[in-house]
Amino acid sequence: MQNEGPRYRQIAWQLKTAIEEGKLGAGRRLPSSRVYAQELGVSRVTVENAYGELVAQGWLERRGQAGTFVSEHLTLKPVAVEPTWFGGEEPHPQPFQLGLPALDLFPRALWARMMGRRLRTQTRFDLALGDVCGEMALRQAIVEYLRLSRSIECLPEQVFITSGYAASMSLILRALNGQGQGMWVEDPGFPLIRPVIAREGITLHPIPVDNEGMNVEWALANVSDARFALVTPAHQSPLGVALSLPRRRQLLDWAMHNQAWIIEDDYDSEFRYQGKPLPPLKSLDAPQRVIYAGTFSKAMFPALRTAWLVVPLPLVGAFRELVRQIACPVPIPGQQTLGDFIREGHFWRHLKKMRVHYARRRRWLEEALLAQGFDVVAQQGGIQLVVNISGDDRRLAAQARAAGLAVQAINDWRIAGRGTPGLIMSFTNIVSQNMANEQVAALRRALT
């Protein structure tokens, strides 16, 4: 990487390299200088100078109020059209990118002060490995949060801290000796967890989803001998429906009578904008067959790499025995700071602010989509929305990704064949109605 010379030239070199390698395709719109400057932590003038240099060299072109674009007159490497599920390589979020909370809304200065306070006041004992299950202060804070927000009664001993959803899933399946067993999974459902499950020797049984969530009756009639069921009952991913109360009872009854385990992925229940959410399965878990999985990636930021499990009391010994061999991978200062953040009320205030902004940002995107003739599926919460379309949604989503728009096709989330076509997109990082209008206009151009 080129580190010599003024900062604006370093930025220009990075952008030029991305264009040459095909990561920024011809016609791709760059972020505004203000947004890009905030992401890089530099002045707006620095970014303007970098853009100006590349415009002069012919790499970029200005289009008035529409913004700055990669020149369409360049001969570039083809842009990959495979799904970029959660980004990570881009210097800023791609339009409609899933899995990211609103990065501009997180109180970074407050977090930095709290982290600094923890580092200044740490003792020599904080340099040791710590509890293999996770810091007790953080686990206690999660217990109190779940009691108030989700009506889940549990003990800190039942909480295990992990480095993310995939790590949580691996821990569950290893602790319960799941190899060779079957698992019900929602179809469509989150695709990135499937390889993790398959690596643990589990057979996936896709179960259709309708307007009441996973079709438990269909599952009982076709694959009743599974040992696990993975569900997103609060807000099904990606369709957004809630698992109905009768089906929740069916699922709990099946687990109790078959000695099976339900893995409840409660990935974004904090964000509901209409009505009162149904209680989590874990709050109804009298037979103690539900393992509750949560994460801070959607409510705070993904780089925190912190998730948690609440396991039934009879399983605590088996889980603790396994984590003794691997220990908690999340750094102790981060766990301690997160515990302080929750306990001092900052987490509640952050969620309250996010709900207000997300309701507005969802409305901006929905209005822009409707103005362009898209059919938006009504949902009561979440950090993404679904648009019904006609035609091959996989091909159309690939066209959109080639134009730098990170939408995904519902049929790419299916296992058993194809169903109703649609596109999934996020609104969390849309900061104005104008931005929503521009991104949707670009989507319409890419699709037609």
Side-chain angles (χ1 to χ4, degrees):
M1 178 177 173
Q2 180 173 309
N3 292 314
E4 303 292 333
R7 185 73 176 98
Y8 81 90
R9 285 191 174 170
Q10 296 175 31
I11 296 170
W13 181 84
Q14 292 168 353
L15 290 170
K16 178 182 174 182
T17 301
I19 295 171
E20 289 178 323
E21 293 176 351
K23 294 178 180 178
L24 290 174
R28 171 78 174 270
R29 183 181 182 275
L30 298 185
S32 70
S33 57
R34 176 182 58 81
V35 171
Y36 200 14
Q38 288 176 345
E39 291 299 322
L40 296 178
V42 300
S43 72
R44 186 175 181 179
V45 172
T46 300
V47 174
E48 283 288 353
N49 287 340
Y51 283 1
E53 180 164 302
L54 293 178
V55 169
Q57 295 174 5
W59 294 94
L60 303 179
E61 57 186 41
R62 307 274 194 183
R63 297 182 187 172
Q65 293 184 345
T68 304
F69 295 76
V70 177
S71 174
E72 305 224 10
H73 305 294
L74 299 172
T75 302
L76 303 172
K77 295 180 181 179
V79 180
V81 298
E82 289 301 312
T84 303
W85 298 108
F86 287 97
E89 298 181 358
E90 295 289 333
H92 54 85
Q94 294 177 287
F96 309 123
Q97 185 172 332
L98 300 183
L100 280 179
L103 301 179
D104 61 312
L105 297 180
F106 185 75
R108 290 179 293 170
L110 171 63
W111 180 261
R113 287 197 301 271
M114 297 183 70
M115 177 69 80
R117 183 182 69 191
R118 268 293 174 180
L119 293 174
R120 288 192 303 272
T121 59
Q122 67 181 358
T123 69
R124 66 182 185 275
F125 302 109
D126 292 320
L127 304 179
L129 183 62
D131 193 318
V132 293
C133 303
E135 287 297 287
M136 179 56 73
L138 173 58
R139 291 153 65 199
Q140 182 64 55
I142 291 172
V143 166
E144 294 169 1
Y145 166 71
L146 293 176
R147 179 181 298 119
L148 293 173
S149 70
R150 305 296 284 141
S151 301
I152 293 175
E153 293 292 338
C154 59
L155 301 172
E157 291 76 16
Q158 294 175 256
V159 178
F160 291 81
I161 306 300
T162 75
S163 60
Y165 182 38
S168 293
M169 183 62 68
S170 293
L171 176 59
I172 293 168
L173 298 178
R174 291 175 187 178
L176 297 179
N177 299 313
Q179 190 166 18
Q181 305 293 326
M183 178 185 288
W184 294 351
V185 293
E186 297 166 331
D187 193 22
F190 184 55
L192 289 187
I193 200 61
R194 294 174 198 156
V196 177
I197 298 170
R199 280 198 298 269
E200 300 301 331
I202 304 294
T203 301
L204 297 174
H205 298 298
I207 310 300
V209 173
D210 57 26
N211 60 4
E212 293 187 63
M214 175 186 277
N215 192 330
V216 180
E217 188 172 344
W218 187 97
L220 291 171
N222 291 274
V223 279
S224 60
D225 59 345
R227 191 181 176 210
F228 302 96
L230 174 60
V231 291
T232 52
H235 186 247
Q236 199 276 332
S237 178
L239 300 181
V241 298
L243 188 64
S244 67
L245 192 56
R247 288 189 179 176
R248 289 167 186 248
R249 289 171 176 157
Q250 276 184 304
L251 195 58
L252 289 167
D253 186 66
W254 162 79
M256 180 177 65
H257 287 95
N258 291 272
Q259 297 298 293
W261 299 103
I262 302 167
I263 304 169
E264 179 176 12
D265 176 14
D266 201 14
Y267 67 104
D268 71 351
S269 64
E270 294 91 353
F271 305 116
R272 190 175 179 92
Y273 318 116
Q274 299 174 12
K276 187 176 181 180
L278 290 169
L281 273 173
K282 187 63 183 173
S283 69
L284 309 173
D285 186 25
Q288 292 287 290
R289 307 305 300 182
V290 177
I291 301 168
Y292 183 84
T295 176
F296 291 103
S297 293
K298 307 297 188 298
M300 294 180 67
F301 55 93
L304 192 58
R305 302 301 301 157
T306 306
W308 76 87
L309 291 174
V310 179
V311 307
L313 273 171
L315 296 181
V316 168
F319 274 74
R320 191 170 183 90
E321 185 63 32
L322 181 56
V323 297
R324 279 198 185 101
Q325 304 171 30
I326 55 178
C328 178
V330 182
I332 290 175
Q335 292 189 60
Q336 293 172 332
T337 305
L338 182 52
D340 295 342
F341 193 80
I342 299 171
R343 189 173 55 257
E344 295 175 15
H346 303 300
F347 187 53
W348 285 100
R349 286 189 285 274
H350 178 56
L351 289 178
K352 183 178 179 180
K353 179 178 72 173
M354 298 261 279
R355 289 187 192 103
V356 173
H357 283 273
Y358 281 179
R360 183 184 303 125
R361 293 180 181 193
R362 179 187 172 86
R363 186 173 67 251
W364 285 337
L365 180 55
E366 188 169 356
E367 289 176 356
L369 288 165
L370 292 172
Q372 288 282 349
F374 287 99
D375 177 19
V376 181
V377 177
Q379 294 188 17
Q380 293 184 318
I383 60 173
Q384 61 198 37
L385 55 74
V386 173
V387 171
N388 288 327
I389 60 173
S390 59
D392 184 348
D393 57 348
R394 291 174 173 172
R395 178 181 60 81
L396 293 171
Q399 288 178 205
R401 288 193 297 271
L405 307 171
V407 301
Q408 296 180 28
I410 284 182
N411 278 306
D412 278 331
W413 288 45
R414 295 188 188 276
I415 300 176
R418 296 199 176 201
T420 303
L423 299 177
I424 318 164
M425 61 193 74
S426 175
F427 52 82
T428 53
N429 286 283
I430 292 175
V431 299
S432 69
Q433 183 68 68
N434 285 339
M435 178 183 281
N437 294 341
E438 290 176 4
Q439 291 185 0
V440 172
L443 177 62
R444 175 57 76 189
R445 290 194 299 271
L447 299 185
T448 58

